[in-house]
Amino acid sequence: MDHSGHGMMMDLPPFTLGRGLQFAPDAFFLIGCLLALFLYGWGVARLRRRGDSWPVSRTVFFTAGVLTIALVMCTKLNEYGMVMFSVHMVQHMIISMLSPILLLLGAPVTLALRALPVAGRGRKGPRELLLALLHSRYLRVITHPAFTIPMFIASLYALYFTPLFDFLMESKTGHVAMMVHFLAVGLIFFWPIMGVDPGPHRPGYVMRMLELFAGMPFHAFFGIALMMASEPMIRTYENPPASLGIDALSDQNAAGGIAWAFSEIPSVLVLIALIYQWYHSEQRAAVRTDRAADRDGDKELEAYNAYLASLQARSQ
């Protein structure tokens, strides 16, 4: 890649965390993040005005998810990510694995279904369109593990080990499109697994864990492949600007280490969420069973009392 198209990046000083976290917004992601927070806030406010409750934890999770996207796309991390493979890999891992999990724990689809007004008879409003999408064949296909797992894996291997990555990195539009793709793939991969929002594919808890662990080893293998490479594998990062003072191969090894280590983080987060959901689901089932048993017990008691009353009536 010719870095001349990114003139300001040629003079980037050596990377430090302080420099990387300086505010440097990408217009597309800044507007997207602000819009997401506004719409979610509107939904929560609408429920509250109506007297309905909405868990604070969900709002916190969703806000944290949006902020993680802003962290990697609206700071200088985004600029350093154009010329440093290791920083780009941090962006990729956060936006494809951490951000989607936090956003999904915020249950935005459930909030939308509860907050959006119902359209009049024979009319279709935003709520009806969302319901139609949730029940569509298209969504059934793209949230099925036969689609989500290969797509999750292909986003690594088919992108980085082909000329496609270099092509996308040649323009700002291509780079934004790639990041949107990472976020979208993460959302459709984790959506059925998290199981917080309604969706067309709703597997049991054991199946969800199997789906989660089916994709994660490939992330680890990808990271190991980058760490073990004896030469730079991505043309975009072959010749980093001299001002950064980094070696391309060392930076690639660091990127591989980040990809390998990061595959463990979402696994642990999702596993905790799944076990928590499973426990609560079992608790709810137990309460339902107890209620049913109480009702049956009451009926038996009523029948026994009626029997005693009949015996007493006969004896008189």
Side-chain angles (χ1 to χ4, degrees), residues 2-13 83 239-244:
D2 176 15
H3 293 298
S4 59
H6 304 283
M8 63 176 178
M9 295 178 199
M10 288 294 290
D11 301 321
L12 282 173
V83 288
N239 300 300
S243 62
L244 290 172

Side-chain angles (χ1 to χ4, degrees), residues 62-76:
F62 188 84
T63 304
V66 173
L67 291 178
T68 56
I69 296 170
L71 176 74
V72 296
M73 296 309 302
C74 295
T75 63
K76 283 199 178 289

Side-chain angles (χ1 to χ4, degrees), residues 40 55-65 102:
Y40 195 93
V56 174
S57 59
R58 287 185 176 178
T59 305
V60 170
F61 279 127
F62 188 84
T63 304
L102 292 170

Side-chain angles (χ1 to χ4, degrees), residues 6-42:
H6 304 283
M8 63 176 178
M9 295 178 199
M10 288 294 290
D11 301 321
L12 282 173
F15 178 80
T16 63
L17 193 59
R19 289 190 185 117
L21 295 179
Q22 288 173 8
F23 187 59
D26 173 274
F28 177 88
F29 278 98
L30 181 63
I31 292 167
C33 287
L34 291 174
L35 189 60
L37 289 175
F38 171 77
L39 290 173
Y40 195 93
W42 172 85

